[in-house]
């Protein structure tokens, strides 16, 4: 069995191969089944009794449920590595277990007693083809850490580099394969006989089994580490340790030894001369790039895997548990965050359908209402000021109550961000993940040229054909606080997109909005001209023009604020801006846009003048032509003064 599990047949999880093997050993399977089933059935019986009690006494039933959750965690720990890993995975699955169990399972630790050096050194010898002391000039007498899958020694290469040597536990693959075989059978029975089970338990179990088998292959972990380094190792303030491939095999991993301080040890970090808050900020920015840039992310950033090095850089360790987010999923997450911050819960419920959490036939009205009730910050606060864990806890309850099916990648994202926020809280109790994340998301939405995010930007900025200038102002205000924000590049890319064929719809909508705004300003200018004109009606009452201008929606103030935001940016070089302006004005599409705006403004003002001519009976020239021309010229000049500004 050992040769089978360590051979080619099981380089990855294969349910059919495992079943074919264990079908030959029914007695062994039955004994392990009893070890698992008897305590689990007792726990299930207690849960059934809880469901009956909860109808009569809700207060005491909650206390009882918390006690059951603790009992379940202790049972999982006794059942061994496979169940510990499953429990940790369930701690991020609100569609399967209630929130109180999720909280308890999050406390699961996979630390186990070490196994003997004799076995560990034999594995090194078998994997690397030489005695450990021939490969390493030094190796610690005892392991410095022991977990569910393996243990770690400190060593030194003959070339002088300090290294960490990870060695896999004996018979771990066989034990986990047996447990997966039994659990798959239980899941299959539950799905066929228990109507309340809505989730695909077999699919969830096989996804988990595939992940744990990957984690048991240290060659795969080495691949993860090198890939992580290629994506994020160059980032300022981030360090990824080197993998020594010549001393790495399926059951032995040799990587660079990292001396450092746990990020949560605020006192020692401060003594070393570093600011923990700044380092947390670096870690959050790195996590956002992992999730939203490349989609390859560290799914287990607990305090032991994040060390502050002697030069202040943040080092990532342990690359066994990694996950990926596809490009469509990344775009969907960005949209969901923007819709969440803008409290557009109808759009957010549609995001969940697109991301595969809900089926298209779900009651979207009920989901929208539930989301609006959950994401309801205290008066005077915005959503980005809420604790991420509080938000996910409340969302978990919705996902448990409604027919959500949480994709594995999302569960790992939540686990990653909640863990990161927990670390951040030890450093800064006022830390808010969403407050740090949103400027990054806003910058991506403004800068990214992919069709999906351009479509998302359109959805954010437009509703029912109306351009929402306040949303653009909010995006620019948030994006300015992100370290990657570049106003010149942002304006360049946005203008380039607007003038392209892909930006045709957005361009026409903006032309409409600018024309309406200019019309409003022109009507105001027209009224001012009339007030000064001797042709002004002797009546002291309001003219139709002033009434109309008052009724028109004016976006001038918001446009002025947006222009002011751009002018305030210290990174803008006036010479570069003038060069950019000349290049933009030289494009044929720019001329067409200007002509379209002027044409629309003229048409609107002409229609308004004709209405007034019909109502007031004045001469066509004095009512329409002369005042309209002066007003349009004045409004356009006002816009140009704002764009030019003194700061440019």
């Amino acid at each position: 069995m050992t040769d089978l599990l360590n051979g080619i047949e099981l380089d990855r999880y294969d349910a059919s191969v495992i079943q074919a093997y264990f079908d030959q050993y029914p007695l062994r399977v039955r004994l392990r089944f009893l070890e698992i089933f008897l305590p689990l059935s007792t726990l299930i019986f207690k849960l059934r009794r809880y469901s009956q009690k909860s109808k009569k006494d809700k207060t005491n039933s909650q206390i009882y449920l918390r006690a059951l959750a603790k009992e379940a965690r202790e049972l999982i720990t006794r059942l061994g590595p496979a169940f510990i890993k499953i429990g940790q995975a369930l701690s991020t699955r609100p569609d399967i277990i209630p929130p109180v169990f999720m909280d308890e399972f999050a406390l699961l630790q996979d630390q186990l007693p070490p196994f003997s050096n004799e076995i560990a050194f034999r594995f090194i010898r078998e994997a690397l083809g030489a005695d450990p002391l021939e490969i390493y000039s030094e190796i610690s007498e005892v392991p410095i850490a022991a977990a569910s899958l393996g243990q770690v020694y400190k060593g030194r290469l003959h070339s002088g580099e300090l290294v960490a040597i990870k060695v896999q536990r004996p018979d771990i693959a066989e034990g986990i394969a047996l447990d997966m075989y039994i659990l798959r059978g239980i899941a299959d029975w539950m799905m066929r006989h228990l109507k309340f089970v809505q989730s695909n338990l077999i699919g969830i179990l096989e996804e988990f089994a595939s992940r744990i088998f990957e984690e048991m292959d240290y060659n795969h972990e080495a691949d993860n580490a090198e890939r992580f380094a290629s994506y994020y190792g160059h980032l300022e303030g981030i360090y990824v340790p080197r993998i020594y491939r010549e001393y790495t095999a399926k059951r032995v991993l040799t990587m660079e030894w990292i001396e450092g301080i746990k990020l949560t040890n605020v006192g020692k970090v401060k003594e070393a001369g570093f600011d923990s808050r700044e380092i947390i900020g670096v870690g959050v920015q790195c996590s956002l790039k992992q999730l939203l840039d490349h989609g390859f992310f560290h799914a287990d950033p607990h305090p032991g895997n994040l060390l502050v090095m002697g030069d202040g850089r943040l080092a990532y360790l342990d690359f066994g548990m990694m996950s990926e987010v596809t490009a469509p999923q990344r775009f969907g997450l960005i949209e969901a965050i923007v819709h969440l911050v803008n409290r557009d819960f109808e759009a957010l419920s549609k995001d969940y359908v697109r991301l595969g959490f809900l089926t298209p036939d779900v009651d979207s009205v009920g989901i929208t209402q539930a989301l609006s009730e959950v994401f309801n910050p205290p008066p005077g606060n915005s959503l980005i000021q809420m604790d991420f864990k509080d938000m996910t806890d409340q969302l978990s309850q919705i996902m448990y109550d409604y027919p959500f099916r949480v994709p594995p990648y999302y569960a790992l994202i939540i686990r990653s961000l909640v863990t990161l926020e927990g670390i951040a809280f030890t450093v800064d109790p006022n830390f808010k993940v969403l407050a740090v994340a949103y400027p990054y998301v806003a910058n991506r939405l403004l800068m990214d040229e992919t069709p999906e995010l351009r479509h998302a930007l359109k959805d954010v900025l437009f509703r029912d054909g109306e351009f929402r200038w306040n949303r653009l102002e909010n995006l620019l205000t948030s994006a300015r606080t992100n370290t990657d924000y570049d106003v010149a590049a942002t304006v360049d890319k946005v203008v380039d997109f607007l003038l392209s064929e892909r930006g045709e719809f957005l361009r026409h909508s903006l032309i409409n909005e600018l024309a309406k705004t200019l019309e409003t300003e022109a009507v105001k200018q027209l009224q001012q001209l009339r007030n000064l004109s001797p042709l002004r009606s002797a009546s002291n009452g309001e003219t139709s023009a002033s009434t109309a201008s008052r009724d028109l929606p004016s976006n001038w103030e918001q446009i002025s604020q947006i222009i002011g935001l751009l002018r305030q940016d210290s990174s803008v070089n006036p010479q570069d801006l003038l060069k950019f302006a000349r290049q933009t004005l030289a494009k044929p599409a720019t001329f067409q846009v200007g002509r379209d705006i002027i044409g629309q403004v003229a048409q609107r003002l002409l229609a308004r003048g004709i209405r007034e001519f019909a109502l007031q009976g004045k001469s066509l020239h004095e009512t329409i032509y002369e005042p309209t021309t002066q007003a349009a010229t004045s409004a356009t000049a006002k816009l140009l003064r704002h764009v030019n500004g003194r700061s440019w």
Side-chain angles (χ1 to χ4, degrees), residues 144 266 317 333 461 504 619-620 623:
I144 59 167
V266 180
L317 308 177
L333 287 170
L461 297 180
E504 185 175 2
S619 74
L620 193 62
T623 306

Side-chain angles (χ1 to χ4, degrees), residues 326-482:
T326 65
Q329 290 165 347
R330 295 200 300 274
F331 300 143
L333 287 170
I334 290 172
E335 287 184 79
I337 291 171
V338 174
H339 290 148
L340 174 63
V341 170
N342 288 307
R343 301 176 61 79
D344 192 345
F345 299 119
E346 183 180 352
L348 185 60
S349 64
K350 292 176 183 176
D351 292 334
Y352 280 125
V353 173
R354 265 199 310 278
L355 289 167
F357 290 74
L358 296 164
T359 56
D361 58 348
V362 73
D363 174 20
S364 60
V365 175
I367 296 290
T368 300
Q369 180 62 31
L371 290 171
S372 65
E373 290 173 0
V374 163
F375 298 121
N376 188 22
N381 287 355
S382 64
L383 270 170
I384 61 175
Q385 295 303 318
M386 291 179 69
D387 291 345
F388 186 72
K389 187 175 188 309
D390 289 346
M391 293 171 64
T392 55
D393 284 349
Q394 294 179 65
L395 184 59
S396 295
Q397 189 61 58
I398 293 180
M399 290 183 170
Y400 187 68
D401 294 337
Y402 285 85
F404 276 81
R405 294 190 176 185
V406 179
Y409 77 88
Y410 178 80
L412 290 172
I413 287 173
I414 294 299
R415 172 181 176 168
S416 174
L417 291 179
V418 167
T419 303
L420 194 63
E421 184 180 60
I423 294 171
F425 279 161
T426 65
V427 175
D428 181 4
N430 297 317
F431 181 85
K432 310 294 178 189
V433 163
L434 206 54
V436 178
Y438 190 63
Y440 180 87
V441 170
N443 191 53
R444 277 294 305 275
L445 204 58
L446 289 168
M447 288 284 290
D448 203 303
E449 298 181 17
T450 56
E452 293 87 351
L453 287 189
R454 286 305 181 202
H455 180 77
L457 181 62
K458 183 200 77 176
D459 283 348
V460 169
L461 297 180
F462 285 90
R463 171 173 282 180
D464 300 328
E466 295 290 325
F467 190 87
R468 294 181 283 186
W469 294 99
N470 63 315
R471 290 284 176 87
L472 178 58
E473 184 185 350
N474 290 341
L475 281 174
L476 286 168
T477 302
S478 295
R480 289 180 71 225
T481 63
N482 183 258

Side-chain angles (χ1 to χ4, degrees), residues 194-267:
L194 301 179
K195 292 182 180 179
F196 67 85
V197 175
Q198 297 181 354
S199 299
N200 180 4
L201 296 183
I202 290 179
I204 292 168
L205 189 69
E206 291 192 335
E207 169 70 27
F208 167 76
S210 299
R211 198 171 296 280
I212 198 171
F213 266 77
E214 287 178 356
E215 198 174 343
M216 285 191 292
D217 184 348
Y218 290 160
N219 281 317
H220 187 73
E221 182 173 346
D223 292 341
N224 287 341
E226 290 178 342
R227 184 180 173 192
F228 192 88
S230 69
Y231 287 158
Y232 317 113
H234 66 281
L235 297 177
E236 187 177 353
I238 297 295
Y239 188 78
V240 183
R242 174 186 171 187
I243 299 294
Y244 293 90
R245 280 286 187 174
E246 61 272 36
Y247 308 121
T248 294
K250 185 169 184 177
R251 301 182 71 175
V252 177
L253 172 70
T254 304
M255 68 188 300
E256 179 183 357
W257 178 268
I258 300 295
E259 286 288 354
I261 307 164
K262 281 187 180 181
L263 187 52
T264 50
N265 195 334
V266 180

Side-chain angles (χ1 to χ4, degrees), residues 318-331:
D318 194 346
F319 301 93
M321 188 179 292
M322 309 293 289
S323 189
E324 291 195 66
V325 188
T326 65
Q329 290 165 347
R330 295 200 300 274
F331 300 143

Side-chain angles (χ1 to χ4, degrees), residues 281-293:
V282 168
V284 172
Q285 289 296 316
C286 181
S287 292
L288 292 170
K289 289 182 183 294
Q290 291 172 46
L291 293 172
L292 302 177
D293 279 9

